[in-house]
Structures are given as structure tokens and as C-alpha cells.
Amino acid sequence: MTLEDQEGMQYICKLIFEAYQTPVFVLDSSRGIVHQLPLSLEGRPLTPDFGEMLKEITDPIDSASPIDLAVVATTPIPIIRTTHSLENFIILPLTSGHQTAGTIVVGPSLYEPLTESKAANLLRDNNIPLGLQEQWQHYYRNLTVLTRTRLYHAAMLLYTLVTGQTLSITELLLDARTSKPKQQPVGSPDLNVSFRRENIWLHHEPMQEQDLFRHIQNGNKAELLRTHATFSEEKYGLLSKKSHLRSKKNLAVASITLATRAAIGGGLFWEIAYTLSDFHIQHIEELRDVPAVENAVLDALCDFADQVKDTRTTMLSRTAAVCQNYIFNHLYEELSLDKLAEVAGLNGSYLSQLFKKETGIAVSDYIQRERIEEAKRLMEYSGVTLSDIATRLHFNDQSYFTKVFKKYTGTTPRQFRN
């Protein structure tokens, strides 16, 4: 399809805009806007003119990721572009013969809503002046959120509407990887391997690493510490050439990532494992010296082993564990026996009997107990009122919340908080 088919082009833009509620632009060969939806748009700070912004988006952002529209003109596969400000765009070149006739741009959108703290960190990373941060926060709040999968599907739909051909997600992503040159790391892995062998400066053996994470999976902190003590400092990899501290932090992140997977394999609820991982990595990123990082990594590994051990002392069948994990992850939603039965793939009555037999408590009582435990955690934050806690955790009213809370703790919510 070319720009000459104005009616068809506008119809496609309307379909995409109405389906995804994100701006759609048609640019001519000079990258001027010839059509856009919606007709009125609020530009981003520093680049309020959408025309200038789109020229920037369809230009190379840096030398590592240029968009050569002439190269892709013969096979116009959509290009996914993410800016330094985390805005996402779909860019589809339009062709006439072997020439680029124009471009369709869909965006900007975000993969996820940006919290104020995350947006503030992002703006700080990009050296945005403090005076402009409120404008950027406002801009981010008004952007459409399209998850990565939905964005890919939007690109595939746009391609099909324009060309009449199908496009798989594999083709979309492979083209994105091969249509731009890669920035190669400086140096040669082969030479590095030769150097390490010549100087008998080898990485640790894989079996040693497997032993370490097997002890986490088994919840065996004593053996974990024993194995960790056998690692030699010189056998760790070098993950940053410019900063020893950064290298240690990168190694720490890698270790905690592997520990997270090992803990999940050992039976730890995956949401607990991932949250624990986030907590320890965030803590390590704040540290400013190597010894503190090394101590924090070992603390994190031990924490995972302890959590697995606690979980294994009450190890249940897969069905009961699946239900408990689902309840843990959905405490802030409506929970019912029918929903749990659907998740477990069992009859509701049979699941109820099985759950009580294994845990010694009815499903409804277990949900109440877990909600009270969550309420106790929320009470640590002074800004959250008791009525808000009751509402968020689906207690009908304050008096019912008080009654259930006292049943499991022996005290009222107010007494507990005080």
C-alpha cells in the first residue's frame, strides 16, 4: 500500500487507533505528517512538536541502532523502537516499487505504567532538569500502556492490514535483530580464554556452582556456606572492565537470579522468591564498597535457603501448593472455591476435602488467615488506615474485619497497631 491510497490508509489508521487507543501517524517521504489520530495531541516536554519528535524517532537514536529505511523498503517489516525515555513506537515503512513512499508510526506507548518513583529515577538517569520533571510525570501518566505482547501483536496486525500478508512474531523479532548492525564487545573471547588458561586463571568448575544452588534448592544453609567457602576469589568472572565494584554487583545480581530459580525449584512460592530477589538486588545496588556487596550476597543466598527450608517443613501435594500459591498472589481479589477448583483442575467439593486433609484447615478459613497476615503487614505502614486495609482485603465492613482479626490474633486491629 502507498500514500496514494489515502482512503484505505486512513481506514487502517482508524482501526489501529480504535483497537489500541494509541496515537497513529502517517508520514510522507520527507517525514512530514500527512495524517494523524487523534487530531489533537499533547507533545512531550523538550519536543512538544510531534513532527520533530517523529523525525527523531525515525532517525537513528544512536550509532548502535540505526533505522535504514532504504534497506527495509523492499521488505517492510515493522520496526519496534524504544527511546531512552522508554516510549515505544511501531514504525512501518511504506513502499512504492523499491522506493520508500512514507511511514506509519504507532505510538508513543509504555510497556507498563510508570510509578512516580520509577519515572523520577528514569528522568534522573537521563539528566532531565528538576524543573521539567512534573511535566514529564504528567506526560507519562497520559501515555497508553501496551504490554510487550500487545505491542508485538499491534505491529503484526498493522503489517497484515497494510500488506495483506501474515507475519509471525518470530519473523517480527528476527527481522528486528538482523536489520541493524550489532555493536560488538571490545576484545576477543577466544584470546581471553587463551590468556586465562596460560596463567592457570580459570573460572570455577560448573559442578561447584551446581552444588551451591542445589543446597539452596534443598534448603540446606550449612552445606551452602560450606560450598561457598570453597570458591576462590580469582575464579570469579570479570563483569565490568571499568569498575571492580560494578563487577561485584553484576556478579551478585547473577548469583541472586540463579538462587531465585533454585528456590522456586525447591518449592518456594514464586512470588515470594521474585520479591525476595528484588529486595536483595535493590539493597546491593545501594552499597558503596566491595566487602559490603560480598556480605550482602551471602546473606541473600542464606535467606533463600532458609525460606526453602521453612517451606519444605510443610511440604504439601502439588494441588494444595498450587492453591496456596494462587491464594498468596490474589489476596487482593475476590477468591472462591470455584476459582481455586478451576486453577487446580479439580471438582470443587473434592478440592475442599483434599485441601483440609493436607493443611488441617478449610479453604475459606485459610484465605481469611492469610488475609489477616497480610493485614498485619500493611499495619506497619502508618499511612494506611484500618478501614482501607479492610476494604482492600475484601472484608465486608470494619466490624467483621475486627471480628476475624481477633479470631486469629487474639487482639483487635487497633490494639495490634498500637
Side-chain angles (χ1 to χ4, degrees), residues 58-76:
T58 52
D59 266 344
I61 287 180
D62 54 55
S63 59
S65 56
I67 292 180
D68 186 347
L69 296 180
V71 171
V72 298
T74 55
T75 54

Side-chain angles (χ1 to χ4, degrees), residues 247-266:
S247 181
K248 285 295 184 182
K249 287 186 176 182
N250 290 346
L251 284 166
V253 171
S255 297
I256 291 173
T257 300
L258 292 173
T260 303
R261 273 56 178 179
I264 293 172

Side-chain angles (χ1 to χ4, degrees), residues 31 49 137 177 227 258 260 308 325 353 384 413:
R31 287 178 293 168
D49 183 339
Q137 297 271 13
R177 292 181 60 82
T227 302
L258 292 173
T260 303
V308 171
N325 194 66
Q353 295 175 23
V384 185

Side-chain angles (χ1 to χ4, degrees), residues 59 64 79 88 102 128 140 214 225 301 323 363 405:
D59 266 344
I79 299 162
N88 298 318
I128 300 296
Y140 281 133
R214 188 181 74 251
L225 291 169
L301 299 182
C323 289
V363 171
F405 194 92

Side-chain angles (χ1 to χ4, degrees), residues 334-352:
E334 290 287 354
L335 286 167
S336 66
L337 181 61
D338 288 341
K339 182 60 182 178
L340 288 174
E342 179 185 337
V343 170
L346 295 174
N347 171 273
S349 177
Y350 175 70
L351 174 63
S352 179

Side-chain angles (χ1 to χ4, degrees), residues 378-408:
L378 290 176
M379 286 181 195
E380 296 178 10
Y381 303 98
S382 57
V384 185
T385 66
L386 295 179
S387 60
D388 185 36
I389 292 173
T391 301
R392 289 165 67 177
L393 292 172
H394 294 273
F395 290 99
N396 297 332
D397 53 53
Q398 188 67 40
S399 61
Y400 180 61
F401 173 55
T402 300
K403 178 182 177 181
V404 177
F405 194 92
K406 193 169 184 178
K407 172 183 174 182
Y408 288 103

Side-chain angles (χ1 to χ4, degrees), residues 9-24:
M9 188 67 62
Q10 292 182 15
Y11 176 69
I12 289 173
C13 291
K14 185 172 183 290
L15 285 178
I16 294 295
F17 172 69
E18 291 184 349
Y20 295 97
Q21 291 299 299
T22 189
V24 183

Side-chain angles (χ1 to χ4, degrees), residues 179-302:
S179 64
K180 55 191 179 185
K182 300 296 184 290
Q183 190 173 31
Q184 297 296 334
V186 177
S188 165
D190 291 338
L191 289 177
N192 192 270
V193 169
S194 298
F195 174 79
R196 295 181 75 95
R197 285 188 299 169
E198 181 182 359
N199 291 276
I200 321 177
W201 183 30
L202 306 176
H203 287 84
H204 57 266
E205 295 180 4
M207 288 300 297
Q208 190 179 18
E209 180 181 285
Q210 291 172 19
D211 282 344
L212 184 75
F213 293 106
R214 188 181 74 251
H215 297 319
I216 291 176
Q217 186 169 344
N218 293 334
N220 192 335
K221 184 165 68 174
E223 288 302 316
L224 163 68
L225 291 169
R226 200 187 321 277
T227 302
H228 186 272
T230 65
F231 279 74
S232 300
E233 176 68 24
E234 68 273 10
K235 291 185 179 295
Y236 289 115
L238 181 65
L239 300 188
S240 173
K241 291 182 177 181
K242 296 182 179 180
S243 167
H244 187 52
L245 177 61
R246 183 69 259 167
S247 181
K248 285 295 184 182
K249 287 186 176 182
N250 290 346
L251 284 166
V253 171
S255 297
I256 291 173
T257 300
L258 292 173
T260 303
R261 273 56 178 179
I264 293 172
L268 186 62
F269 290 169
W270 52 265
E271 185 61 30
I272 294 178
Y274 288 139
T275 302
L276 204 61
S277 170
D278 292 347
F279 171 80
H280 283 293
I281 290 175
Q282 289 167 11
H283 170 61
I284 285 169
E285 283 296 332
E286 297 297 320
L287 300 177
R288 292 290 176 265
D289 61 84
V290 170
V293 171
E294 292 177 337
N295 290 333
V297 175
L298 190 54
D299 287 343
L301 299 182
C302 290

